[in-house]
Amino acid sequence: MGFRVLVVNTHSKLSYKNNYLCFKSAERVESIHLSEIDMLVLETTDIAITTMLLAKLARQNTCVIFCDEKRLPSAQFVPFYGRHDSSLTLKNQIAWSEEKKAAATFEILRQKIFNQSLFLDAHGFCEKADAVRCLLGDLALYDPTNREGHAARIFFNTLYGNNFSRDEVSEINAALDYGYTMIMSVFAREIVKCGCITQLGINHHNQFNPFNLASDLMEPFRVLVDEIVYENRKKYFDAIKWRLFEIFDTTYVFGGANMFMNNIVGKYVKSCIAYLGDESSELPVFRYGV
């Protein structure tokens, strides 16, 4: 697996030569070995890229994110096949039981809400943290009373004020969306590497969302984006955006060890898919700030 997040944001051409990504602009020429690249972000539409390079990046399972004319993530390049027995794993994915999907959804939402409470505690909002934790007592399978939504409202209104809405156009929401999209892309990549498809979710079932399963599994990790955006909330979007890439250069505790984000996601996704496929009796746990 690569270890570099490569962001291209200038008029340039990207091509392939001898296992290297070749970058060429009016100012300079540079080559980077494909094995070093974990994520490639094409931040401007003013980039030419060869199909040979895309084919090689797909073989490397490199996460490639395309941005629109506003430099916001708009698409992801995902290979069709992540492993040799993808047909079998897809058949198993379709056969996941409703009982297992419901139990996995419950645990994932529980982790997300609990991480929000830990975040509020860590930033001095202890009373609000208790209010969020109280919602866990009413959390039920598939969350029929929308405890997740109530927790999110308390969480964001505590951080950004009672008038804040996730639907409004703002620097904060743009940064949150940017960060969440990057994390979702990493989850989508790992899901494909496990031989599954991202369209079939366990809780998200939006027919227009090609990444339903990634949207499901990433929920406990949203707090990592929340942390950076909150700490830089007084800055403009462009400044916050560059800080968000720190997520991939920071180590977090998972399974009793310090690990980089991408390695954690790989293990987390594999464990979730093993649980859903009746190959494991436990779901992984990711805790904020542990």
Side-chain angles (χ1 to χ4, degrees), residues 170-184:
S170 67
E171 303 283 326
I172 289 173
N173 276 326
L176 289 171
D177 291 340
Y178 193 95
Y180 294 155
T181 299
M182 286 199 301
I183 290 182
M184 184 179 67

Side-chain angles (χ1 to χ4, degrees), residues 56-82:
K56 295 295 184 179
L57 291 172
R59 186 173 297 176
Q60 290 280 133
N61 284 307
T62 302
C63 183
V64 182
I65 300 176
F66 297 88
C67 296
D68 60 19
E69 65 279 2
K70 296 180 180 179
R71 297 180 180 255
L72 297 175
S74 60
Q76 178 185 1
F77 180 62
V78 180
F80 279 127
Y81 309 109

Side-chain angles (χ1 to χ4, degrees), residues 214-227:
S215 299
D216 286 323
L217 302 187
M218 69 172 279
E219 294 286 21
F221 294 79
R222 288 177 178 268
V223 70
L224 302 180
V225 173
D226 298 330
E227 179 175 48

Side-chain angles (χ1 to χ4, degrees), residues 181-220:
T181 299
M182 286 199 301
I183 290 182
M184 184 179 67
S185 298
V186 174
F187 270 86
R189 186 261 306 277
E190 295 301 325
I191 289 168
V192 171
K193 285 173 64 176
C194 289
C196 295
I197 62 174
T198 60
Q199 291 92 334
L200 296 181
I202 58 175
N203 186 38
H204 288 81
H205 302 291
N206 189 334
Q207 63 179 321
F208 305 111
N209 181 6
F211 304 112
N212 282 313
L213 186 56
S215 299
D216 286 323
L217 302 187
M218 69 172 279
E219 294 286 21

Side-chain angles (χ1 to χ4, degrees), residues 14-15 34 49 75 135 148 162 174 207 248:
L14 304 181
S15 59
L34 294 186
I49 185 168
L135 295 172
E148 178 191 14
N162 290 331
Q207 63 179 321
F248 302 102

Side-chain angles (χ1 to χ4, degrees), residues 225-252:
V225 173
D226 298 330
E227 179 175 48
I228 290 178
V229 174
Y230 178 70
E231 290 177 350
N232 296 275
R233 62 194 180 278
K234 296 182 180 180
K235 300 178 181 179
Y236 290 111
F237 166 69
D238 285 342
I240 304 175
K241 177 183 65 179
W242 287 109
R243 296 296 302 274
L244 286 167
F245 289 108
E246 294 175 5
I247 291 174
F248 302 102
D249 294 328
T250 304
T251 58
Y252 305 93

